[in-house]
Amino acid sequence: MADPATYRPAPGSIPESPGVYRFRDPGGRVIYVGKAKSLRQRLNSYFADFAGLHPRTQTMLTTAASVDWTVVGTEVEALQLEYSWIKEFDPRFNVKYRDDKSYPYLAVTMGEDFPRVQVMRGAKRKGTRYFGPYSHAWAIRETVDLLLRVFPVRTCSAGVFKRAGQIGRPCLLGYIDKCSAPCVGRVTPEEHRALAEDFCDFMAGNTGRFIKRLEREMREAAAVEEYERAARLRDDIQALQRALEKQTVVLGDGTDCDVIALAEDPLEAAVQVFYVRGGRIRGQRGWVVDKVEEATPGELVEQFLLQMYGEAAIPREILVPAQPPDEAALIELLSEQRGSRVDLRVPQRGDKKSLMETVERNAKESLAQHKLRRASDLTTRSRALQEIADALDLDQAPLRIECYDVSHIQGENVVASMVVFEDGLARKSEYRRFSIRTAEGDVASIYEVICRRFKRYLEERAATGELDAGTDDAAAHDGAAHDGAAHDADGYDADGYDAVGRGGAGTPIDPETGRPRKFAYPPNLVVVDGGPAQAAAAQRALDELGIDDIAVCGLAKRLEEVWLPGDDQPVILPRSSEGLYLLQRVRDEAHRFAITYHRTKRSKSLKESALDHVPGLGPARRQALLRHFGSVKRLREASAEEIREVPGIGRATAEAIVAALRGESPSPAGQGS
């Protein structure tokens, strides 16, 4: 690893002009390209406070061995040069948007003498018009099959076309009138090209004139009693209408725009684009990207637009979820590439806002599916578990991981969750949830829940006969057996059980229920949501119980740092690490499960009140009290005399309310009215 101070530019040597800079490794290879309005301000930010940088940026700086830059005249030139260098050098630390799959396009080879309609993937070719992309190739073929009735353009390969011309007989499509058969001279090259141009116009959204023309010809044929021709024209109209129905109308006629939405987490981001042409969704496309540097949504949008529209056609309007930081320069660059004005907008209301929300839902689903595919692969899971073992210096891969999270709002209704992953997959039947009693902060809550969970573990081991009465574990259990928290029946929530056998003492199966004992299985690794304080609290709880064969770590949300108890510095896993990805999934699942329980408990507490148990105080009087004082907090602070000001509340009832809210015993008094 290089020390960034060894290649830091000399003070005053960096110009204040806009420009583009490159970090290089010891071998001279470009590993990162960036642009800046002020090169001096931007580059100094890398070297001023190394400890305050994002961990991935720190990795880039320690990998680099030198930095150079090029001064440009304007921000637009900086954007252009940045894109060119990223394309040329393919730097490993730059954000790279990669397709989550290869999308097919409907292509018309207008550069050939006899244009051909076909399905294409991969790089675009000069002289070919593209429509899409589509989600599936069969969607293109269905559309083409309908349109060939009206626009019988050639679809055959060059070999088939040449052979048909040699033998003087067209293929099957020529016989069923779904090809105009230019191979055998049924139409001239000019007539066939006109058909191809009409096909392209229809696909580009100019649909109205074709349907109107066919309707006029159908009426004319019917008027002169050419009913067979009129019927064919009627079928052609229906074919065009069915083709249009396959493309959802979302915006007004003539609207051409691309709608871009993001879904992200600390490690990755998913991008979805809907292509709207003529007010209809013509296709969609998705990308997934690893986040190398900490970037705002606007910065991700800017990087995406530069990469996406480097070669692709640019519409006149682009809808984005957030404005890029250099919006004016980016609009100027895109407009220059398009040859006319390009509008970049964040929709705020109406149909475009609704469509943006739809695209955003697709982006979230795409990210979830990407994570699921990544997590479900056996080889990937095995590599993730081994990476965790190596990073935390464990003796073996953590086949069972338990993660704990605490959820509350300002210290009220504090709950904790325990989720279990076995072999890298969620084991939901083992999930548990806890209602925290000592609400003294997240650290104390973590300590409490770890104590309660592993006291139960020691009890279950004792019940199965695994603990020797003379061991330290047994002594720890003896102290735990009298702890009321360890026997709390509502301290956990069982979602069902997976029985692995039957047995009595000596097995983890309860002989009375035939189910696994609830806390009988120990984890290889305990993960807590938080930093060094939470990890230390969990380790302290295990130490006090005499458990020394379970590893502990904390995973901090902000920078995805892994903290080991007692360590001053976190363990930084590589950004591409499957181990970090698995730890993140475990932590996020614990967070979700804790929030779900917290919301349930909070909803229940809102429906319950200490006033419910005051004799003689019905729903109407409770509502009157809350209307008068505005909240239970203000009511709790009120005196009995102030409470008696509420109509219908007598002296005895007022004193009972005060006692109930303050946890006191009401003093003897006569009955009030």
Side-chain angles (χ1 to χ4, degrees), residues 401-404 419-421 424 527 555 581-591:
I401 300 174
E402 291 182 4
C403 185
Y404 298 83
V419 301
V420 179
F421 275 57
V527 180
L555 182 61
Y581 185 81
L582 176 57
L583 289 176
Q584 185 192 32
R585 284 189 61 236
V586 173
R587 191 270 318 280
D588 291 346
E589 177 68 356
H591 186 61

Side-chain angles (χ1 to χ4, degrees), residues 315-639:
R316 59 173 172 248
E317 183 178 16
I318 304 172
L319 304 181
V320 295
Q323 294 288 10
D326 298 327
E327 179 184 358
L330 188 58
I331 290 175
E332 184 178 344
L333 177 61
L334 294 175
S335 300
E336 181 180 316
Q337 290 181 221
R338 186 176 189 270
S340 61
R341 170 74 181 179
V342 174
D343 292 325
L344 204 62
R345 295 176 181 167
V346 179
Q348 302 294 331
R349 62 185 67 85
D351 293 339
K352 292 180 179 179
K353 174 66 172 177
S354 299
L355 181 57
M356 173 65 75
E357 291 171 352
T358 300
V359 183
E360 184 178 351
R361 286 195 295 272
N362 278 266
K364 290 179 179 177
E365 178 64 21
S366 175
L367 184 60
Q369 291 297 321
H370 169 74
K371 288 186 172 187
L372 185 62
R373 287 194 299 269
R374 192 170 173 181
S376 61
D377 180 68
L378 178 60
T379 304
T380 302
R381 296 203 316 268
S382 300
R383 184 165 68 250
L385 293 172
Q386 190 57 52
E387 286 179 0
I388 293 172
D390 294 341
L392 304 185
D393 197 22
L394 305 180
D395 294 334
Q396 60 180 353
L399 298 181
R400 179 181 169 106
I401 300 174
E402 291 182 4
C403 185
Y404 298 83
D405 186 25
V406 175
S407 180
H408 60 86
I409 294 181
Q410 297 181 346
E412 297 291 332
N413 298 313
V414 186
V415 300
S417 67
M418 170 187 125
V419 301
V420 179
F421 275 57
E422 291 186 350
D423 294 329
L425 295 176
R427 181 73 175 258
K428 294 193 175 184
S429 63
E430 300 289 323
Y431 285 14
R432 300 290 180 263
R433 55 191 190 181
F434 300 80
S435 181
I436 301 299
R437 295 183 177 82
T438 57
E440 300 174 358
D442 288 354
V443 174
S445 298
I446 286 291
Y447 173 79
E448 177 186 332
V449 71
I450 296 295
C451 283
R452 288 167 59 181
R453 183 265 183 269
F454 286 98
K455 284 176 181 177
R456 293 296 299 266
Y457 160 61
L458 294 176
E459 290 180 358
E460 298 290 3
R461 287 186 64 186
T464 61
E466 293 183 40
L467 281 178
D468 185 348
T471 63
D472 292 339
D473 283 347
H477 166 66
D478 290 341
H482 301 288
D483 190 325
H487 297 275
D488 177 20
D490 66 356
Y492 56 84
D493 173 56
D495 294 332
Y497 305 88
D498 292 330
V500 294
R502 294 288 182 267
T507 74
I509 303 300
D510 190 326
E512 295 182 2
T513 63
R515 294 173 172 173
R517 299 179 188 274
K518 299 178 179 60
F519 290 101
Y521 297 102
N524 303 107
L525 174 65
V526 166
V527 180
V528 294
D529 182 15
Q534 285 81 359
Q539 186 64 61
R540 186 172 76 254
L542 292 176
D543 291 343
E544 292 176 1
L545 292 171
I547 300 174
D548 59 4
D549 57 350
I550 296 175
V552 175
C553 74
L555 182 61
K557 279 191 182 74
R558 189 173 72 89
L559 298 177
E560 304 299 326
E561 300 164 332
V562 180
W563 289 91
L564 295 176
D567 285 4
D568 296 331
Q569 296 295 327
V571 176
I572 304 297
L573 291 170
R575 66 180 180 86
S576 59
S577 167
E578 294 295 340
L580 178 59
Y581 185 81
L582 176 57
L583 289 176
Q584 185 192 32
R585 284 189 61 236
V586 173
R587 191 270 318 280
D588 291 346
E589 177 68 356
H591 186 61
R592 179 199 66 79
F593 195 52
I595 286 179
T596 301
Y597 182 35
H598 171 72
R599 287 173 178 166
T600 302
K601 189 174 181 181
R602 180 159 55 98
S603 176
K604 183 179 179 181
S605 67
L606 291 174
K607 297 176 183 178
E608 296 179 351
S609 167
L611 298 176
D612 295 344
H613 308 293
V614 177
L617 193 64
R621 289 184 178 181
R622 288 200 297 270
Q623 290 296 326
L625 283 166
L626 292 175
R627 279 197 302 270
H628 181 82
F629 289 99
S631 68
V632 174
K633 180 180 179 181
R634 293 181 60 185
L635 176 59
R636 184 179 289 112
E637 296 169 351
S639 65

Side-chain angles (χ1 to χ4, degrees), residues 46 77 88 92 179 199 235 295 300 339 348 382 501 619:
Y46 285 105
E77 291 178 19
E88 177 182 354
R92 57 177 289 202
C179 178
F199 182 96
D235 293 342
L300 288 173
Q348 302 294 331
S382 300

Side-chain angles (χ1 to χ4, degrees), residues 156-196:
C156 59
S157 66
V160 172
F161 185 84
K162 182 178 180 180
R163 176 173 172 76
Q166 290 172 341
I167 64 177
R169 187 171 66 248
C171 65
L172 177 62
L173 292 178
Y175 282 108
I176 62 175
D177 296 329
K178 286 196 172 182
C179 178
S180 55
C183 54
V184 294
R186 286 188 186 174
V187 294
T188 64
E190 293 75 17
E191 290 172 334
H192 184 265
R193 179 167 292 276
L195 283 173

